[in-house]
Amino acid sequence: MSYQHIETLSWLGGTDGTLRLIDQTLLPSEVKEIDCRNVETVWEAIKKLRVRGAPAIGISAAYGVITGMQTLPQDASLDAFKNRLNEVIAYLASSRPTAVNLFWALDRMKTKAGSLYGQKAVGGIAGALLGDLLDEAKAIHEEDRTTCRLIGKYGQSVIKDGDTFLTHCNAGGLATADYGTALALFFAAAESGKKISVYADETRPLLQGARLTAWELMQRGIDVTLICDSMAALVMRQGKINGVVVGADRIAANGDTANKIGTYSVAVNAKVHNVPFYVAAPVSTFDLTLPDGSLIPIEERLADEITNGFGKRTAPEGVKVYNPAFDVTPAELITGIITEHGIITPVNTDSVRKTVCRFLVE
Ligand code: MRU
């Protein structure tokens, strides 16, 4: 299969532009892009997982702010600008609760706006401010590209030539601006000439592993074998797995890590089978306001994702369902957290602070 680069998301035009996204709910059978022309469609795209993965959600929300501000007349007053900005940010923040990159990106947009309020002339303020906010959204987008390359560069050091790694969910280019976090390790290892094989958990209930990770790895020519989530323990016991790497949605100050539901089981299995378990994530995924993972808000999604996945009923009508979208892996099960500033190991409050504090405002 030849590698065809497709932008996960891009901004088309100037301050009156639109956000273009690959609709990830249609992959792998259809590669289709959608244009979000207003904040409501950006919100819907995040909520429905048309765009998903913590960094990609953050970038989309930053651009979503621009679409939300487009309804304001160019000559709106500063007060009107501030009111609308607060409204748009609160709305986008209500789309999904767990990935902290969403709130991090929205905070950055708000802080940027705050830094501009005193500087711009009062007349025609909205038009002038919006250009600077668009630059900030583009900066968040561009920085993520660099961040993912650095995560790949540092992270590939944990992979030896000939290794087989297991991953869960999708923390690839589709979940970021480009290149991914967990999958960046595989891409960078392969680019440096190492032979690498990957087992991808299918990742119930929405199959991000089967639909997105297997697709992305095949696109890039990485050897990938798809398994059901329930097979991970067996392949570890069979000695097929040299290491695990996953992404993250929110990492508490002590290193406890929220990621896609099922990650915790993988980490427990890795511990039992003496397989190193790594998390790969940018500093923007850390939430130092939370001392540990018990405080991370976990999204619960609709029952039909489990009972009626992909249009076919697979459970009795009326059955009770519990559908948390994420779980928290305790820090003691994590061998290392790979960031754009290096690898945090061992994982604890002190080591997290040492690497992350300088780069993150609490
Ligand atoms: O519900 P999703 O598909 O948004 O969940 C995504 C994950 O759990 C990813 O592993 C995480 O966001 C890291 S993406 C680099």
Side-chain angles (χ1 to χ4, degrees):
M1 187 181 294
S2 67
Y3 173 58
Q4 181 204 352
H5 182 76
I6 307 156
E7 292 285 331
T8 304
L9 56 96
S10 51
W11 181 259
L12 304 182
T15 49
D16 58 350
T18 55
L19 174 62
R20 178 164 287 177
L21 305 167
I22 298 182
D23 185 345
Q24 298 189 32
T25 61
L26 304 176
L27 287 171
S29 31
E30 205 182 331
V31 183
K32 185 180 164 203
E33 291 177 317
I34 50 168
D35 289 340
C36 301
R37 298 180 194 283
N38 53 48
V39 70
E40 288 78 15
T41 49
V42 176
W43 186 94
E44 193 266 358
I46 296 173
K47 181 78 183 170
K48 295 266 172 72
L49 275 56
R50 299 187 199 287
V51 60
R52 31 71 47 207
I57 291 172
I59 301 163
S60 302
Y63 285 128
V65 170
I66 308 300
T67 61
M69 298 306 288
Q70 288 168 345
T71 57
L72 211 59
Q74 290 270 320
D75 59 353
S77 70
L78 183 56
D79 277 347
F81 189 94
K82 286 182 183 172
N83 288 340
R84 177 66 184 158
L85 186 70
N86 287 339
E87 193 176 87
V88 166
I89 285 178
Y91 175 60
L92 286 164
S94 71
S95 56
R96 292 189 77 189
T98 303
V100 78
N101 306 60
L102 170 70
F103 308 99
W104 171 86
L106 291 173
D107 275 354
R108 247 183 88 161
M109 296 298 280
K110 193 170 188 170
T111 304
K112 180 70 186 180
S115 75
L116 297 168
Y117 289 152
Q119 296 173 23
K120 301 281 173 184
V122 176
I125 190 114
L129 285 174
L130 206 52
D132 288 328
L133 280 187
L134 178 58
D135 288 345
E136 187 69 359
K138 287 182 175 170
I140 290 171
H141 191 177
E142 274 315 303
E143 285 166 25
D144 193 57
R145 286 182 204 281
T146 314
T147 294
C148 289
R149 296 280 161 172
L150 287 169
I151 288 173
K153 181 181 138 189
Y154 290 121
Q156 63 107 353
S157 65
V158 307
I159 299 178
K160 293 188 303 301
D161 188 28
D163 271 357
T164 299
F165 265 59
L166 182 140
T167 190
H168 188 79
C169 194
N170 173 266
L174 288 166
T176 59
D178 178 36
Y179 210 64
T181 55
L183 299 198
L185 273 62
F186 308 148
F187 301 144
E191 281 161 22
S192 75
K194 293 177 196 167
K195 190 177 168 329
I196 164 95
S197 299
V198 177
Y199 275 74
D201 280 352
E202 66 174 354
T203 316
R204 278 282 289 152
L206 295 181
L207 304 183
Q208 288 93 331
R211 295 187 303 104
L212 310 177
T213 296
W215 181 77
E216 236 189 287
L217 292 175
M218 288 174 77
Q219 287 267 320
R220 296 231 194 199
I222 307 268
D223 178 62
V224 57
T225 303
L226 181 63
I227 56 171
C228 299
D229 302 345
S230 50
M231 298 168 189
L234 176 69
V235 292
M236 288 183 199
R237 190 173 175 86
Q238 289 173 333
K240 293 186 197 292
I241 307 297
N242 303 104
V244 174
V245 61
V246 296
D249 287 86
R250 195 185 292 227
I251 304 174
N254 70 343
D256 289 354
T257 294
N259 191 50
K260 180 52 56 194
I261 191 73
T263 302
Y264 175 37
S265 307
V266 176
V268 170
N269 283 321
K271 185 76 168 181
V272 168
H273 296 97
N274 217 8
V275 171
F277 179 94
Y278 295 97
V279 170
V283 159
S284 53
T285 302
F286 286 78
D287 182 351
L288 300 185
T289 67
L290 304 182
D292 64 62
S294 65
L295 300 162
I296 296 176
I298 299 294
E299 177 182 14
E300 282 187 38
R301 296 188 61 89
L302 295 178
D304 65 0
E305 290 181 354
I306 293 182
T307 58
N308 214 23
F310 305 96
K312 180 164 168 45
R313 181 121 207 131
T314 52
E317 289 289 350
V319 69
K320 277 195 292 180
V321 169
Y322 176 46
N323 185 16
F326 301 94
D327 57 27
V328 176
T329 298
E332 59 266 25
L333 298 181
I334 302 172
T335 311
I337 303 179
I338 299 152
T339 76
E340 68 272 38
H341 301 293
I343 304 180
I344 301 171
T345 185
V347 180
N348 55 48
T349 305
D350 282 346
S351 60
V352 166
R353 272 191 181 279
K354 228 185 246 166
T355 301
V356 175
C357 244
R358 281 172 291 154
F359 306 102
L360 204 60
V361 183
E362 282 180 61

